[in-house]
Amino acid sequence: MDTSLSPFKIFSGTKSRYMAEEICKELGVELGKMKIEHFADGEFEVCFEESVRGCEVYLVQSTFPNCDNLMELLLMIDAAKRASAKSVVAVMPYFGWARQDRKDKPRVSIAAKLVADMLTAAGVDRVITMDLHADQIQGFFNVPLDHLYASSVFIPYIQSLKLEDMVIATPDVGGAKRANSYAKYLDLPLVLCHKQRAKANVVAKMTVIGDVKDKNVILVDDMVDTAGTITKAANLMIENGAKSVRALCSHAIMSDPATERVEESALSEMIFTNSIPYSKGCSKCTIISVARLFADTIRRVHSNQSISSQYLIK
């Protein structure tokens, strides 16, 4: 690295420490010392235990449930700014609250915009994240945002499977753009699933648009919450004559009963990144680390280099 640049330090919130340690290992640096003290009423205090004056500070924290993860990140940003850090970068492998990205019915909040505003108000200078639920969330920020793509780790994995007669599929029409990018890059056919929801997290009806007979299907999605949609799509693909069904999902939210649904489904394999810690022990789940992707991005941001060259697809 360019030694003329300001020094940088990496710190981590409580639940993303595993990711921060992997990133630090890739970069060959020590994880910064920080203490988070909890009080009896649930309130907590963030304290850096080393100087960050004049440093570029990278704060690694995904904002998956519960709300403490988001609050930790906000307090970390505030503490770093008050400690005279030169710049503060939020490294958010998973950007939570992103499903609320528009006003799709009367009298609802746009939580993704609110979270962006809170991060800015806390004093963040830059955000690095991966596979946002909706691309337009990038426009909610008034600071630079680097949007990374899990395709850079998923595509080599797909290619390593050496499957014949593959098709790329999406479990809902909303993910068509993402799935189409994979299909174009790999020069494979695209299949769509059209779903109708009875209510949030409940799929009433689903139909397949396209031919999956005697095909090895790769379902592509950005997150799995209760796994209702993805498992229903997988079962439907098998009913329509597919040889096998695998799923690529960037973020393993996996709220109960997701693990049981995946185990009991027609899925041969569910492939996640480690943007969110998942330890419920599903025999069909494969976890791929994105620590190197984030480490390389931090290195490039620190050295004022372009990061677009590392994208396989968008």
Side-chain angles (χ1 to χ4, degrees):
M1 291 189 184
D2 187 349
T3 55
S4 66
L5 297 170
S6 299
F8 74 92
K9 294 186 178 183
I10 297 175
F11 297 89
S12 171
T14 304
K15 295 294 179 67
S16 293
R17 186 179 178 89
Y18 71 97
M19 174 68 80
E21 288 174 345
E22 285 191 46
I23 290 172
C24 287
K25 185 176 180 180
E26 291 287 344
L27 290 170
V29 299
E30 293 290 328
L31 182 62
K33 295 180 176 62
M34 190 180 70
K35 180 173 71 175
I36 299 177
E37 182 178 354
H38 289 259
F39 301 106
D41 63 352
E43 187 178 323
F44 48 86
E45 177 186 67
V46 169
C47 177
F48 291 98
E49 295 191 301
E50 58 187 87
S51 175
V52 296
R53 185 179 297 274
C55 294
E56 291 179 17
V57 174
Y58 293 84
L59 306 174
V60 181
Q61 179 78 317
S62 287
T63 54
F64 56 94
N66 60 36
C67 296
D68 284 2
N69 294 308
L70 174 58
M71 194 64 194
E72 269 190 16
L73 178 58
L74 294 171
L75 292 178
M76 288 159 63
I77 294 168
D78 183 68
K81 294 298 284 189
R82 294 178 187 278
S84 301
K86 180 186 177 184
S87 64
V88 180
V89 181
V91 180
M92 306 171 68
Y94 171 71
F95 181 87
W97 310 90
R99 282 174 282 187
Q100 301 174 59
D101 63 321
R102 63 196 182 281
K103 195 172 179 181
D104 56 355
K105 53 182 176 282
R107 298 175 296 280
V108 296
S109 63
I110 304 179
K113 170 61 174 166
L114 177 61
V115 171
D117 287 345
M118 288 193 293
L119 290 167
T120 304
V124 77
D125 294 294
R126 188 182 202 97
V127 174
I128 302 172
T129 189
M130 181 183 75
D131 278 6
L132 288 167
H133 186 64
D135 286 343
Q136 66 264 24
I137 292 172
Q138 297 174 69
F140 293 175
F141 287 86
N142 293 321
V143 296
L145 183 143
D146 296 310
H147 187 202
L148 309 182
Y149 298 89
S151 57
S152 60
V153 296
F154 281 155
I155 285 180
Y157 185 82
I158 295 172
Q159 292 171 330
S160 73
L161 296 175
K162 299 187 186 318
L163 297 173
E164 296 181 353
D165 301 316
M166 280 198 299
V167 297
I168 299 296
T170 174
D172 57 47
V173 176
K177 180 183 176 184
R178 180 180 294 104
N180 186 53
S181 297
Y182 280 78
K184 285 176 64 178
Y185 184 88
L186 295 168
D187 193 23
L188 296 173
L190 176 65
V191 173
L192 303 177
C193 285
H194 175 64
K195 69 179 179 183
Q196 296 174 329
R197 284 195 183 276
K199 58 182 179 179
N201 292 128
V202 179
V203 179
K205 184 180 178 182
M206 182 177 286
T207 55
V208 176
I209 305 170
D211 181 24
V212 296
K213 186 173 176 58
D214 297 324
K215 305 291 185 182
N216 289 302
V217 180
I218 307 293
L219 284 164
V220 178
D221 209 351
D222 67 312
M223 64 174 69
V224 173
D225 190 353
T226 60
T229 298
I230 202 87
T231 55
K232 193 176 185 71
N235 295 341
L236 193 58
M237 297 290 179
I238 294 296
E239 289 170 15
N240 280 264
K243 285 183 188 176
S244 68
V245 185
R246 288 172 172 79
L248 301 174
C249 300
S250 306
H251 309 297
I253 300 174
M254 296 294 279
S255 306
D256 290 333
T259 298
E260 290 78 10
R261 283 177 172 169
V262 171
E263 288 281 16
E264 295 167 4
S265 73
L267 281 167
S268 301
E269 187 178 19
M270 175 82 82
I271 303 106
F272 294 119
T273 74
N274 62 341
S275 63
I276 296 175
Y278 175 68
S279 58
K280 294 183 180 178
C282 177
S283 64
K284 293 185 178 181
C285 290
T286 300
I287 309 296
I288 301 177
S289 177
V290 288
R292 180 170 295 178
L293 173 64
F294 280 94
D296 187 52
T297 301
I298 290 171
R299 185 184 292 113
R300 289 168 182 263
V301 168
H302 175 70
S303 302
N304 299 314
Q305 297 176 0
S306 170
I307 66 170
S308 60
S309 60
Q310 65 181 316
Y311 300 157
L312 289 182
I313 63 171
K314 301 179 182 179

